[in-house]
Amino acid sequence: MPLDPSQARADLEVQLTDTVRISRTAGQPVLDPVTGEPGQTPTTVVYDGPGAVL
């Protein structure tokens, strides 16, 4: 019996009960002019959706 890829994907996605977000840094942190401390580092979200934390 051949494997139906779309059905296999649907069966696996049912088991992905966590929501995950994968992001990358997108530059250098901006320095706070008052304290001189680095602020938030800008990021770009690469993936946001169902997943599994193993």
Side-chain angles (χ1 to χ4, degrees):
M1 180 166 137
L3 177 66
D4 179 18
S6 60
Q7 182 61 43
R9 180 178 179 152
D11 292 342
L12 289 172
E13 285 182 346
V14 169
Q15 299 176 24
L16 302 177
T17 58
D18 299 316
T19 300
V20 297
R21 175 176 287 157
I22 300 171
S23 59
R24 292 186 185 152
T25 57
Q28 297 294 322
V30 179
L31 292 178
D32 184 325
V34 176
T35 64
E37 295 290 322
Q40 294 286 346
T41 303
T43 59
T44 301
V45 175
V46 178
Y47 176 78
D48 187 8
V53 178
L54 303 173

